[in-house]
Amino acid sequence: MKRLALLPVVLAGAGCGGAAMQTTAPHLPAALAQQWAQRADAIAAADACTAHRRATALRTDVILAVNKHRIPQRLLEPLTSKVNALAAHKACAPVRVEADDFAAWLRNPSG
């Protein structure tokens, strides 16, 4: 009978720890976020044609990281939306605003 009385206490304790883990905000791997933010800064500072080439290369690297499952599920949509906005411009069109936005988001993806 004592075993049955302890079961709800054990289950309640296990539930508390699990809930805390689920509410933790997902993070990009720090090395990737730092590298990509630096590249976005360089894109923002480059001339339009160079920026376009660099933005396309950055998007390719982001896609590779996504395909290797290095990005938390909850960050896939905002990450790919921002890098696509950066790389989607016509060749040699200015992308400074998008590059700055992407760099800022990479440094603080939770908001």
Side-chain angles (χ1 to χ4, degrees):
M1 188 68 167
K2 289 181 184 181
R3 286 186 191 164
L4 291 177
L6 292 177
L7 185 60
V9 174
V10 172
L11 290 177
C16 292
M21 295 174 91
Q22 292 175 355
T23 59
T24 303
H27 297 284
L28 289 171
L32 279 181
Q34 181 179 11
Q35 177 193 33
W36 290 344
Q38 290 172 347
R39 288 173 67 185
D41 289 339
I43 290 166
D47 67 86
C49 293
T50 301
H52 178 72
R53 286 191 302 275
R54 289 178 180 174
T56 301
L58 178 57
R59 178 173 54 187
T60 299
D61 289 348
V62 168
I63 291 168
L64 289 172
V66 168
N67 289 343
K68 290 180 181 179
H69 306 284
R70 296 185 67 193
I71 309 302
Q73 184 73 26
R74 286 180 45 199
L75 295 178
L76 290 176
E77 192 282 324
L79 174 66
T80 56
S81 291
K82 289 191 178 293
V83 77
N84 283 333
L86 176 58
H89 285 271
K90 293 180 182 178
C92 301
V95 295
R96 181 176 181 88
V97 171
E98 291 82 359
D100 286 341
D101 180 54
F102 187 53
W105 182 83
L106 288 165
R107 289 183 174 102
N108 186 16
S110 62

